[in-house]
Every structure is written in C-alpha cells, then in structure tokens.
Amino acid sequence: MTHYARQHEFLFAKHITQKNSAEIRREIAQTERDLENLKRRDTELTVLFKRLYEDNVLGKIPNEVFRKLSDDYLSEQKEIQTTIPKKESELERLKASVINASAFIDKAKQYTEINEFTAELLHLFIERVEVEERTEKWSRTAMQEINIYYRDIGLLDNMIEAQAEEQEQPQTSIEVA
C-alpha cells in the first residue's frame, strides 16, 4: 500500500477522497442524528418527571406508581446522560479522522523500501486488523476475510482492484505535430 501511495500519489489521494465522501460522511450524519435523539429524549424525560411529580403532589397518581415511574425515568435519563458524552467523543473522533491521504503519503515517503515489517512500522501504518469468521466452521482451508485498517486512511477494501484495473488499461499518448 505504501508503494502504491508513493508511486501514484494523485490516484491514491483521489481514491481516498472518494471513500471519505461516502463512508465517513454517512457515519458522521448517523452519529449526529443519534446524538440529537438522545438530547431530545433527555429533555423529554425532564419534562415527564416534572409532570409526574406534579400529578403525585396533586394526588392524581398513587405514591407507588410515582416511585416506579420516577425510578424508570431516572434510570433511563442516567443512561442517556452517560451515552451523550460517548457519542460526542465518537463524533469528534469521526470528524478528526476525516481521511487524510496526504498524511499517509508523507509517512509512506519516509519509508521508501520496507524489507522487514517491524513493530514500529506496524504502529505507524496500521490502526487495527479485523479477522472475520471462516466461511465453514472447523475447516482449515475455508476462506477467511481479513480487513486491515490503516492509520489516517481507514479500510482500503478495493484499492488493490483499482490498481489492477489501472495497470490493465493501455497507456495512450498524444503526439503533437
């Protein structure tokens, strides 16, 4: 991947930008919707609890019902209030991780030839590796998908396919007379 990033900077950056446009933006939008829904529900629970308290004071509902409903509302509100900061930090992480192809290319230029994959290189280029389940359980020869998430650019699932297509296309040159 680093070789491709060094050799074809423009195509690499273009591919990363296209990936960024669709995938990350969709995640950011979904997280923003979730966060807005949580905040709205938190406000609703505060209003509901006030009404419930007023109904209890006025004698419209028995104390047992008040205690049960107030416990339910309070536990839900507490859960929401712990989830909101998590969602906010996730949103910040997503916005900060808007794929940065130039940072990856700069790192790739530092290492022109990688003969041995060291721990330093692993931490520099790879964010995480996900190994999927085998297509057939207990089989040693069954296919197994492995996803490598690179730092600054994320998962590049079809980058190798794009590279192969590019190499298959004949190079055309224009002669100027």
Side-chain angles (χ1 to χ4, degrees), residues 47-57 61 65-71 73:
V47 171
L48 285 172
F49 189 75
K50 285 179 182 178
R51 285 185 190 156
L52 182 66
Y53 180 75
E54 289 172 358
D55 287 346
N56 184 29
V57 169
I61 60 169
V65 173
F66 171 75
R67 268 185 250 139
K68 170 138 181 36
L69 290 175
S70 65
D71 288 344
Y73 288 157

Side-chain angles (χ1 to χ4, degrees), residues 23-39 83-95:
E23 201 174 289
I24 297 296
R25 300 266 186 249
R26 192 169 35 248
E27 278 187 65
I28 289 173
Q30 180 61 44
T31 305
E32 286 174 338
R33 280 192 301 273
D34 292 346
L35 189 58
E36 183 61 35
N37 288 338
L38 287 169
K39 287 180 179 180
T83 305
I84 286 175
K86 291 177 186 175
K87 285 287 184 185
E88 287 173 338
S89 65
E90 181 182 343
L91 183 62
E92 289 302 315
R93 182 189 60 79
L94 284 171
K95 286 181 178 180

Side-chain angles (χ1 to χ4, degrees), residues 3 10 12 48-49 73 107 129 135 151 161 175:
H3 175 73
F10 178 75
F12 185 79
L48 285 172
F49 189 75
Y73 288 157
K107 288 179 194 175
V129 177
T135 54
R151 291 202 188 280
E161 295 168 10
E175 292 183 28

